[in-house]
C-alpha cells in the first residue's frame, strides 16, 4: 500500500497535464512564428549586438543579444507542426526560419566586413566553430524546458534562460564572420552548430507536444489528411536521422579529442625532442592528430614508441601525423630561426645545469648516508661480543685544543696536542665493573674497523650499586 501511495504521489508531482493550456499554447507558438514588422528589426539589431560581443570577446553583450533575439519562435513552431501534423504551419515555420537565418547572415557578414576591430585570438568566435556533445545535451534539454514553459498556464522566466543556454545567435554571427573573411572552416563549423541546436530544440518540442497529446489537425478530406500525415512523418524521420547522426559524430569527435589530449600529456617529452604543439583535423575521415615536434630529429625508436603508444588511446597509427622540427622549417625569417635556436640552446643549458645540480645533491645525500652511524646494528653486535656492557652511547664529536701556552715547554706540548685535534667517534660504555685495558683496546680496534674511522675514544662509566 505504501508503494502504491508513493507511486501516486510521484505521479502527481511530475504530472504536466493539469498545468498545461493546450489551446493558448498553440496560439502562443503560432504568434511567435510571425516574422514581420518589429520582429525583423529586432532580429537585425540583435545580430549586430551579438556580432559586436563576439568581436570584442564580451560575454555579457552576447548574452544580451540572445535575450533580444526572436529566433526560438519558428524552431518551436517546426516542433509543434510535426507534433500535430500541420503541414501549413510547418511550411510557414521553415519559411520564416529560413528568412531569419538569411537576414542574420547578411547582417553579421556586413558588420564583420565593416568593423575595424581585428582580434588576434577571437576566443568567443572560435568557441562556436567546434560543436561538442555538450551542445547536443544543452539544445535538447533547453528545448524541453522551453516548450514546457510555453505550454504551461502560468508563465515564468524560463524562456530567457533557454534563449541564453541554447545559443542560436552566436553561431549565425560566427558563420557571418566566416563569410566576411572567406574562412570556410568558421562558416561550416558555426552552421553545423546552429543546425544541431535548431534540430534538437525542434525535436524536444515535438516530444513534449506528443507527450501532452496535442490534438492533430483534421482535414475535411480523409485522403488529404492521410497524405499530409505521411509527409509529416517523412519529414520527422528526415529530421531525427540527421540529428542522431550528428550526435554520434559529435560524441565520436569529442572522445577523439579527449584521448588525443591524454596521449599528448603523457608523451610530451622524448630523449632529445618534445611535442610543442598539436592540432586535430576532423575534416579528414578518419580524424587526424597532427603533432609538431621540436628539438633534434625524432629517432626511429621514439617514432615507433609514439605509434605504439597512441593505439592504447583508441587512435590508430594511420591517424597520427608527425611534423618534425616544424617550428623552424616553417620560418622564413632568419631572425626567428636564430631566436628559436637560441631558445633550444638555452633550454639545453638549463637542463644540463639542473642535471649537474641533481648529481651534486645526490652525492651529498650519499655522503650524508655514509656519515650516519648504524646505532641499532652496532649496539646488537657489541652486546653479543661484550655481555658485561650494560649500555653504550655512540656519537661523533670534534676535539679542539685551545689552552693558551704559558712557556716554551707548554707551547711545545700544546702544538703536540693540536696534532690530535679533529673529528672523533666517542663511545661511552657503562659496565658493572671496569673493563681491562686489553678489552677496551679490542673494542676500540673493532669500532675503528667497523665504522671505518681511526680516531675512536672509549670512555668507561662504572655502574654503582644502589643501596
Amino acid at each position: 500500500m505504501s508503494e502504491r501511495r508513493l507511486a501516486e504521489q510521484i505521479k502527481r508531482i511530475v504530472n504536466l497535464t493539469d498545468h498545461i493550456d493546450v489551446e493558448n499554447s498553440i496560439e502562443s507558438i503560432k504568434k511567435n512564428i510571425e516574422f514581420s514588422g518589429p520582429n525583423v528589426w529586432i532580429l537585425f539589431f540583435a545580430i549586430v549586438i551579438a556580432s559586436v560581443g563576439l568581436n570584442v570577446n564580451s560575454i555579457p553583450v552576447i548574452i544580451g543579444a540572445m535575450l533580444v533575439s526572436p529566433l526560438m519562435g519558428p524552431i518551436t513552431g517546426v516542433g509543434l507542426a510535426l507534433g500535430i501534423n500541420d503541414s501549413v504551419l510547418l511550411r510557414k515555420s521553415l519559411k520564416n526560419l529560413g528568412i531569419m537565418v538569411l537576414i542574420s547572415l547578411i547582417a553579421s557578414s556586413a558588420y564583420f566586413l565593416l568593423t575595424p576591430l581585428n582580434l588576434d585570438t577571437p576566443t568567443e568566435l572560435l568557441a562556436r566553430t567546434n560543436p561538442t556533445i555538450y551542445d547536443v545535451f544543452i539544445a535538447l534539454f533547453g528545448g524541453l524546458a522551453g516548450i514546457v514553459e510555453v505550454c504551461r498556464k502560468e508563465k515564468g522566466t524560463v524562456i530567457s534562460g533557454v534563449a541564453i543556454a541554447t545559443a542560436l545567435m552566436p553561431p549565425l554571427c560566427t558563420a557571418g564572420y566566416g563569410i566576411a573573411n572567406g574562412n570556410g572552416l568558421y562558416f561550416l563549423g558555426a552552421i553545423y552548430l546552429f543546425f544541431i541546436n535548431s534540430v534538437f530544440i525542434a525535436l524536444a518540442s515535438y516530444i513534449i507536444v506528443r507527450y501532452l497529446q496535442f490534438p492533430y489537425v483534421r482535414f475535411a478530406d480523409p485522403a488529404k489528411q492521410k497524405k499530409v500525415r505521411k509527409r509529416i512523418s517523412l519529414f520527422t524521420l528526415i529530421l531525427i536521422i540527421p540529428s542522431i547522426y550528428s550526435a554520434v559524430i559529435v560524441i565520436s569527435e569529442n572522445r577523439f579529442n579527449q584521448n588525443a589530449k591524454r596521449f599528448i600529456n603523457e608523451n610530451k617529452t622524448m630523449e632529445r625532442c618534445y611535442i610543442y604543439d598539436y592540432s586535430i583535423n576532423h575534416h579528414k575521415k578518419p580524424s587526424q592528430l597532427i603533432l609538431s615536434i621540436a628539438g633534434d630529429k625524432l629517432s626511429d625508436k621514439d617514432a615507433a614508441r609514439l605509434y605504439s603508444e597512441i593505439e592504447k588511446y583508441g587512435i590508430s597509427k594511420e591517424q597520427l601525423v608527425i611534423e618534425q622540427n616544424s617550428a623552424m622549417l616553417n620560418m622564413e625569417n632568419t631572425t626567428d630561426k636564430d631566436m628559436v635556436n637560441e631558445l633550444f640552446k638555452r633550454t639545453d643549458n638549463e637542463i644540463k645545469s639542473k642535471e649537474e645540480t641533481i648529481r651534486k645533491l645526490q652525492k651529498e645525500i650519499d655522503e650524508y648516508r655514509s656519515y650516519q652511524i648504524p646505532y641499532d646494528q652496532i649496539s646488537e653486535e657489541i652486546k653479543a661480543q661484550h655481555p658485561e656492557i650494560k649500555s653504550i652511547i655512540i656519537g661523533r664529536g670534534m676535539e679542539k685544543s685551545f689552552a693558551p701556552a704559558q712557556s716554551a715547554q707548554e707551547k711545545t706540548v700544546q702544538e703536540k696536542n693540536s696534532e690530535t685535534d679533529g673529528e672523533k667517534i666517542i663511545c661511552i660504555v657503562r659496565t658493572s665493573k671496569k673493563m681491562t685495558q686489553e678489552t677496551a683496546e679490542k673494542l676500540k680496534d673493532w669500532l675503528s674497523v667497523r665504522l671505518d674511522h681511526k680516531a675512536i675514544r672509549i670512555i668507561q662509566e662504572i655502574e654503582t650499586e644502589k643501596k
Side-chain angles (χ1 to χ4, degrees), residues 358 360-371:
I358 291 170
K360 288 180 180 178
L361 290 172
Q362 187 61 50
K363 185 179 178 183
E364 289 179 8
I365 290 170
D366 293 339
E367 289 177 354
Y368 175 75
R369 285 176 177 171
S370 65
Y371 187 77

Side-chain angles (χ1 to χ4, degrees), residues 154-172:
E154 297 179 4
K155 309 297 181 186
T157 58
V158 176
I159 292 296
S160 301
V162 172
I164 296 170
T166 51
L168 294 166
M169 294 281 291
L172 285 178

Side-chain angles (χ1 to χ4, degrees), residues 333-371:
N333 193 328
T334 307
T335 306
D336 291 339
K337 289 181 182 178
D338 294 340
M339 183 179 68
V340 174
N341 283 327
E342 180 62 29
L343 179 62
F344 289 154
K345 185 178 178 182
R346 189 182 304 169
T347 303
D348 286 341
N349 291 336
E350 288 177 357
I351 291 171
K352 288 177 182 177
S353 175
K354 288 178 180 177
E355 287 176 348
E356 183 62 29
T357 303
I358 291 170
R359 278 195 293 270
K360 288 180 180 178
L361 290 172
Q362 187 61 50
K363 185 179 178 183
E364 289 179 8
I365 290 170
D366 293 339
E367 289 177 354
Y368 175 75
R369 285 176 177 171
S370 65
Y371 187 77

Side-chain angles (χ1 to χ4, degrees), residues 12-54:
R12 181 179 57 81
I13 291 171
V14 300
N15 178 46
L16 280 175
T17 309
D18 297 338
H19 304 276
I20 298 302
D21 186 344
V22 174
E23 291 182 6
N24 286 334
S25 299
I26 294 173
E27 290 302 317
S28 175
I29 292 171
K30 287 182 177 179
K31 185 179 178 182
N32 288 328
I33 293 170
E34 295 295 334
F35 186 64
S36 60
N39 278 350
V40 177
W41 290 99
I42 290 170
L43 177 64
F44 179 82
F45 297 147
I47 284 289
V48 173
I49 294 169
S51 298
V52 173
L54 289 169

